[in-house]
Amino acid sequence: MNIGFDAKRAYHNTTGLGYYSRTLIHLLANYYPEHQYYLFNPKPSRIFRFTEANVQEVQPGRLADRLLPSLWRSSGMKKDLQRLSVNLYHGLSHEIPVGIAKTGIRSVVTIHDLIHERFPEQYNPVDVKIYSKKFRYACQHADRIIATSRQTKEDMIAIYQTPADKIDICYQSCSPLFAREVSAEEKKRVADRYNLPGQFFLSVGTIIDRKNLLNVCKALFLLREELELPLVVIGSGSGKYYQGVKDFLLQQGLTNKVIFLSETTGAKNDPTYLSTEDLTVIYQLALAMIYPSFYEGFGLPVLEALWSRLPVITSGQSCLPEVGGNAAYYVNPQSAEEIAAAMKEIYTNSELRESMKEKGRLQAGHFSPAVYVKSVMEVYQRVLYEGF
């Protein structure tokens, strides 16, 4: 089987969509080496590369396509798909080429979330219209749709009226590095490199209102007389919400209790800063992950924490209970009081922490790489051989 992928984000995106694309491609290439994988990349990349023998990068060949790479990606690549005898095309992030059905090439699209529909105020209005048009087109014209969670599937049904039987839920996995047991020497190296405190809570995610860091900071304020543990934040931010978080910390005298690792000199100047290898160690150094997001398409940091045997405080809404199962401590994300109570309980109750660690590892097993890649390959086979 020759399988083509929209690889723009696999080569150029350093956040969630890029991570999803690269993880899936690597897993497919290694678990199913009998197939050929073609990665359609609109322009050269110096960030990421693929070394598997059965993976081939495809860039625009004609001058017109190189001058207009976005047009090639959205439509022009169909000629290259046909030239390479691609049997199946997978749009890894919400899009498929316009008119691909007319080529006879089957298609699958992954829809990660409908955040732009649920929270349009967080986007430029023009972007919302563009995203809606692309997402709707893909949902209508792809042969099958992969949703990253039941929440995303339900959103597609409710918002786009997509037939339920056209959507498969394929829960993603994360880097196996998170599951490894880190040595004491490595923990000391990473703790020293990042100047980490002896104990800390951990927050991972972009600093935007949907991720809810402000309520975590309010919880810290409520606990200011009881807990001395700082919060380590991994994630960048800008704009009004980010400034609001900073202002709150300044006004309440909490600037020394929240450490923004992504803003340090090392993060700005060292390309190896906060690499996956170091990040996995930071997870295992933390006391607990705090991730009370209002809405996610999957919630990868929760899964990473479960693999790391790190207790997780997260939101009881959106898809997050799908990932956390019975292993997470759920709170109302609107309530700083509930978040504070959860932080205090996990800090003071060692038996609870140990129980959550064991439950977390068992829960993470449902999202293993082998389970994940098998579920995606079954979608491909269904499209090609079983009449969808």
Side-chain angles (χ1 to χ4, degrees):
M1 183 173 11
N2 292 337
I3 306 172
F5 297 91
D6 172 10
K8 175 184 176 180
R9 289 182 171 84
Y11 280 104
H12 301 280
N13 187 295
T14 59
T15 55
L17 295 181
Y19 183 89
Y20 171 87
S21 300
R22 289 185 295 277
T23 299
L24 179 56
I25 292 166
H26 286 309
L27 288 174
L28 287 166
N30 286 281
Y31 277 82
Y32 299 96
E34 67 272 24
H35 303 304
Q36 294 296 313
Y37 305 95
Y38 295 93
L39 311 187
F40 290 81
N41 178 20
K43 57 184 179 180
S45 170
R46 296 181 180 179
I47 307 175
F48 301 105
R49 63 190 183 98
F50 296 81
T51 59
E52 292 89 347
N54 55 346
V55 175
Q56 178 180 328
E57 181 181 2
V58 183
Q59 292 185 12
R62 298 189 312 156
L63 176 61
D65 292 331
R66 293 198 300 271
L67 292 174
L68 298 170
S70 295
L71 185 60
W72 176 78
R73 177 171 173 256
S74 63
S75 179
M77 71 164 64
K78 295 194 298 289
K79 294 180 180 178
D80 294 295
L81 292 169
Q82 292 173 305
R83 173 177 59 84
L84 295 167
S85 300
V86 168
N87 308 110
L88 175 77
Y89 179 84
H90 187 171
L92 293 169
S93 52
H94 314 116
E95 301 178 52
I96 58 173
V98 175
I100 191 172
K102 295 179 181 179
T103 67
I105 298 169
R106 302 299 187 190
S107 63
V108 173
V109 67
T110 296
I111 302 295
H112 297 267
D113 57 65
L114 297 187
I115 293 173
H116 67 285
E117 304 284 7
R118 291 290 189 185
F119 300 91
E121 69 280 359
Q122 297 183 14
Y123 295 83
N124 183 304
V126 175
D127 289 339
V128 172
K129 291 181 180 179
I130 293 173
Y131 296 157
S132 294
K133 184 176 180 179
K134 288 182 176 181
F135 283 38
R136 286 179 183 273
Y137 181 90
C139 289
Q140 181 178 355
H141 294 279
D143 292 306
R144 290 206 69 77
I145 303 165
I146 289 175
T148 57
S149 66
R150 185 174 62 251
Q151 175 69 61
T152 298
K153 178 175 181 176
E154 291 173 354
D155 283 350
M156 279 188 278
I157 295 169
I159 297 172
Y160 294 158
Q161 291 76 55
T162 306
D165 60 4
K166 188 179 181 178
I167 306 170
D168 298 292
I169 299 172
C170 297
Y171 291 113
Q172 66 191 83
S173 189
C174 66
S175 170
L177 290 175
F178 285 96
R180 69 191 176 106
E181 187 171 348
V182 178
S183 68
E185 293 77 14
E186 193 168 5
K187 287 181 179 179
K188 184 178 185 308
R189 176 189 68 79
V190 171
D192 290 344
R193 180 184 186 190
Y194 295 93
N195 196 28
L196 295 171
Q199 280 190 317
F200 58 90
F201 291 108
L202 180 65
S203 172
V204 176
T206 309
I207 304 171
I208 55 177
D209 49 1
R210 178 171 55 83
K211 300 288 188 179
N212 202 23
L213 180 60
L214 181 57
N215 272 343
V216 178
C217 294
K218 290 180 179 179
L220 278 176
F221 175 73
L222 294 174
L223 294 169
R224 65 194 182 281
E225 303 295 335
E226 301 177 68
L227 299 183
E228 292 297 324
L229 259 66
L231 174 70
V232 171
V233 177
I234 298 176
S236 58
S238 60
K240 184 178 179 181
Y241 182 82
Y242 169 78
Q243 191 57 51
V245 171
K246 289 285 193 166
D247 289 345
F248 177 83
L249 295 174
L250 181 63
Q251 292 163 6
Q252 304 302 332
L254 295 175
T255 53
N256 292 330
K257 294 197 69 173
V258 180
I259 303 164
F260 293 88
L261 286 190
S262 302
E263 296 181 359
T264 62
T265 302
K268 297 174 182 177
N269 300 326
D270 184 350
T272 67
Y273 207 77
L274 293 176
S275 64
T276 301
E277 289 77 10
D278 283 359
L279 188 60
T280 61
V281 181
I282 294 173
Y283 272 64
Q284 294 191 34
L285 286 167
L287 180 81
M289 161 82 74
I290 310 178
Y291 196 79
S293 174
F294 289 111
Y295 179 95
E296 295 293 327
F298 181 71
L300 186 61
V302 172
L303 180 57
E304 293 171 342
L306 296 179
W307 273 120
S308 303
R309 292 171 57 84
L310 176 63
V312 181
I313 299 169
T314 190
S315 169
Q317 61 189 48
S318 181
C319 67
L320 295 164
E322 296 179 58
V323 182
N326 70 343
Y329 193 124
Y330 296 105
V331 297
N332 175 0
Q334 298 278 7
S335 173
E337 290 77 12
E338 279 196 27
I339 298 170
M343 294 168 67
K344 181 179 179 180
E345 176 68 12
I346 287 179
Y347 175 71
T348 58
N349 191 335
S350 60
E351 291 185 5
L352 174 62
R353 291 199 304 272
E354 291 305 310
S355 173
M356 292 180 71
K357 290 177 181 179
E358 292 305 316
K359 290 180 180 178
R361 181 57 65 89
L362 292 174
Q363 175 67 9
H366 297 304
F367 304 86
S368 71
V371 170
Y372 169 47
V373 73
K374 181 175 182 288
S375 71
V376 174
M377 182 54 67
E378 287 175 347
V379 174
Y380 295 169
Q381 293 171 338
R382 183 175 181 184
V383 169
L384 287 175
Y385 307 126
E386 301 176 17
F388 311 171

